[in-house]
Amino acid sequence: MDKFVKRKAPTDAGADGSKKQAKKPRPVFVVAPGAGGGDCAQLTSALATMGRCVPIGHGGRWMGNSPKNMDANVELVEATAKKAADVADAGPVILVGHSFGCRVVAELLARQAADKTLPDAVVVGGAILESYPLYGPKPPTEGTDRAAQIAALPSGSKVLFVSGSKDEFLDRSTGKDAWRGADDATGPAALEAVVAEASCAATFEFVQGAKHNAFSAPKSSQDSSRRAIIAAIKMHVDALR
């Protein structure tokens, strides 16, 4: 699996001939929420420490969350990204997904690899996917295979997956929504196994004790977990520049 190397910021000469570190333009994050919309406040708060956040249009809500709505949802993120690029002040526009939003962002990256329609300011060679919902409450059918969407991510695209170690969407082997085998991989191992079969260049940040919200770690470790997530995102943003 590819490793990302954090690059040094370029420097400009000062008036006295000394070298001063050039300030990097702040990124703009297009945030694609979960199926209900407006359910990623903690993610947005973390992103806001390093850049500007732009919610998707249509009041921050999707056009629907069934397979028939995917085209409209992708177009919604595309339109938001284009508007963000117009006011990005030379900073990169980075796509970020939470839960259902991860699936829409993944679909958009795959489509852009085949037919690029977004301006150069929008990064289409990678993304940040928080709480990717790998396994739904029912077995996948045509158009609902979340593993297939990961497999379709463009070759070499730099994708950061941030997930809780106890995310129920990484384990459907127990409980009322169980449909996977008791011996199947669960949790981080399940996500890593699926990503290993894909051709994207992935990195992971798993949060111990968190469920289907990577920021929901136990109270005793919430602050340290948030700092770790922000550090991982910052490193990933550097890799995408």
Side-chain angles (χ1 to χ4, degrees):
M1 187 171 292
D2 293 351
K3 293 184 178 179
F4 300 159
V5 178
K6 191 172 184 179
R7 298 175 289 181
K8 292 182 179 179
T11 58
D12 292 328
D16 59 356
S18 61
K19 293 288 185 178
K20 296 191 300 181
Q21 192 174 64
K23 189 175 181 180
K24 292 180 180 179
R26 285 164 62 83
V28 177
F29 300 103
V30 172
V31 184
D39 55 356
C40 51
Q42 291 171 299
L43 171 62
T44 300
S45 174
L47 295 170
T49 64
M50 63 196 89
R52 185 165 62 87
C53 297
V54 179
I56 59 171
H58 194 59
R61 294 186 175 275
W62 298 110
M63 306 304 288
N65 57 11
S66 69
K68 67 180 182 181
N69 301 123
M70 182 58 78
D71 288 347
N73 288 332
V74 169
E75 290 171 4
L76 186 60
V77 177
E78 274 189 295
T80 305
K82 287 178 180 178
K83 288 182 179 179
D86 289 340
V87 292
D89 296 328
V93 177
I94 297 174
L95 305 177
V96 182
H98 164 73
S99 191
F100 177 78
C102 295
R103 299 174 58 194
V104 181
V105 169
E107 181 71 23
L108 176 55
L109 292 186
R111 295 187 186 190
Q112 287 295 305
D115 181 19
K116 189 174 185 298
T117 59
L118 288 171
D120 291 341
V122 182
V123 177
V124 294
I128 299 165
L129 304 182
E130 185 258 319
S131 296
Y132 188 92
L134 183 58
Y135 301 124
K138 297 179 181 180
T141 58
E142 185 177 357
T144 67
D145 191 338
R146 291 105 183 269
Q149 288 181 298
I150 290 178
L153 285 167
S155 177
S157 56
K158 298 175 181 179
V159 181
L160 171 63
F161 290 89
V162 182
S163 289
S165 67
K166 293 186 177 181
D167 189 339
E168 60 271 28
F169 283 83
L170 300 180
D171 180 8
R172 296 296 181 183
S173 61
T174 60
K176 64 182 180 64
D177 293 325
W179 55 267
R180 300 188 76 236
D183 295 329
D184 290 336
T186 62
L191 183 59
E192 288 177 324
V194 170
V195 173
E197 297 296 319
S199 56
C200 62
T203 52
F204 302 87
E205 180 67 27
F206 292 116
V207 182
Q208 290 301 312
K211 295 184 178 180
H212 193 56
N213 172 356
F215 293 87
S216 64
K219 190 173 182 179
S220 61
S221 61
Q222 277 185 2
D223 288 344
S224 60
S225 295
R226 184 176 187 272
R227 289 194 297 270
I229 294 172
I230 290 175
I233 291 174
K234 284 183 176 178
M235 184 174 294
H236 191 69
V237 168
D238 281 344
L240 291 176
R241 287 182 184 271

